[in-house]
Amino acid sequence: MDKVLSFHQGQLPLLISIPHAGLKLTPAVADGLVDQARSLPDTDWHIPRLYDFAQALGASVLTAEYSRFVIDLNRPEDDKPLYAGATTGLYPDTLFEGEPLFKEGLAPSPAERKHYLEQVWHPYHRAIRHELARLRETFGYVLLWDAHSIRSHIPRLFDGKLPDFNLGTFNDASCDPSLAQRLTHVCQQAQGYDHVLNGRFKGGHITRHYGNPAAHVHAVQLELAQSTYMQEREPFTYREDLARPTQAVLKQLLEALLAWGQARYRN
């Protein structure tokens, strides 16, 4: 397979993971998709652009190139469900709305999916492990921010409208509770936005698996409502008028994350 990820190495103890913004498809996936899936509607659209300030901030940034329709990088290798109720798996077979993802009989074969696991999933997670190890060795601690977005209305997955900022810390298991409190305070001060901590989205596999406060690895997932920065339906247009103030809040969140780490590990 060709390039499966993009990586920028930063100078601060912060890694931003962007696992669901990829747009590449394998031939088997592309040939099998139903018509309504060809626009890749369940993509975390424009997240690299929304976080384009992060490199200047000093963060390391890891971005997937392949679509979650090929393989979901935020699901465990054994495909064990992360949430009760409706969800999607390691190899998605439905759209978020519940419709089949592939035409009948045209889903990728088990052998093809094993190849995706080896050539897409494993490289992404090796990159996470290596960068977390490097940063922890350099700084004594590391902060992991898993960046996501989703349409604000998906009845199959959640009731009503999703809050704008959905912070997930796996019920305080993936990071120190005081860090979650600091981030929640930033959201409380952000006028015109609402937020929740450990609501419908508590953190996926990346947050749950790598977050380990006892080992000084603090992981947080942000599931951002796409209504805060883009047109949620086709053609999924990035809206600078919405994105600019949302970026300001994102930058405040990452700065608060870094400030918490510096204060906590000052000595």
Side-chain angles (χ1 to χ4, degrees), residues 16-20 44 47 51 145-149 220-222:
I16 298 174
S17 160
I18 306 177
H20 287 160
D44 290 9
I47 288 295
Y51 282 85
W145 184 268
D146 205 40
H148 297 261
S149 73
V220 178
Q221 176 178 295
L222 176 63

Side-chain angles (χ1 to χ4, degrees), residues 25-246:
L25 300 174
T26 64
V29 171
D31 291 344
L33 290 177
V34 298
D35 289 343
Q36 59 265 43
R38 294 191 177 281
S39 63
L40 309 183
D42 298 344
T43 301
D44 290 9
W45 289 99
H46 309 298
I47 288 295
R49 180 176 178 180
L50 196 64
Y51 282 85
D52 64 6
F53 62 88
Q55 292 186 18
L57 197 65
S60 295
V61 182
L62 176 65
T63 306
E65 296 286 340
Y66 273 84
S67 168
R68 68 188 304 163
F69 288 171
V70 174
I71 191 168
D72 193 328
L73 300 173
N74 201 29
R75 297 293 182 270
E77 183 176 1
D78 63 5
D79 203 14
K80 183 177 180 180
L82 297 177
Y83 293 99
T87 186
T88 55
L90 180 67
Y91 303 108
D93 56 12
T94 64
L95 292 162
F96 284 167
E97 302 287 2
E99 300 93 343
L101 182 60
F102 294 102
K103 299 172 186 175
E104 186 174 356
L106 291 182
S109 69
E112 287 165 329
R113 285 177 162 172
K114 182 180 179 182
H115 185 66
Y116 304 160
L117 182 69
E118 294 171 351
Q119 298 298 320
V120 181
W121 193 96
H122 280 298
Y124 192 87
H125 285 270
R126 278 198 300 270
I128 291 178
R129 290 195 303 272
H130 290 168
E131 184 62 1
L132 292 180
R134 183 188 76 86
L135 293 174
R136 188 170 61 170
E137 181 178 357
T138 302
F139 297 97
Y141 70 100
V142 58
L143 308 165
L144 172 60
W145 184 268
D146 205 40
H148 297 261
S149 73
I150 194 169
R151 292 194 304 278
S152 59
H153 290 88
I154 304 180
R156 177 173 173 263
L157 299 185
F158 49 83
D159 295 330
K161 181 183 180 298
L162 193 70
D164 297 320
F165 288 82
N166 299 265
L167 296 167
T169 65
F170 196 30
N171 295 326
D172 287 339
S174 69
C175 79
D176 190 283
S178 66
L179 174 55
Q181 292 172 4
R182 177 78 68 91
L183 297 173
T184 299
H185 178 72
V186 172
C187 291
Q188 290 171 340
Q189 300 303 308
Q191 295 185 3
Y193 297 97
D194 54 7
H195 70 281
V196 68
L197 173 65
N198 293 315
R200 171 62 178 83
F201 297 99
K202 302 178 187 298
H205 174 67
I206 291 171
T207 303
R208 301 181 192 199
H209 181 72
Y210 296 105
N212 186 354
H216 313 297
V217 180
H218 302 271
V220 178
Q221 176 178 295
L222 176 63
E223 192 79 59
L224 184 67
Q226 291 178 343
S227 57
T228 63
Y229 71 94
M230 61 172 278
Q231 179 182 325
E232 294 190 306
R233 300 289 178 177
E234 284 190 70
F236 309 117
T237 304
Y238 187 86
R239 288 188 50 183
E240 189 66 41
D241 59 319
L242 297 176
R244 194 177 303 108
T246 300

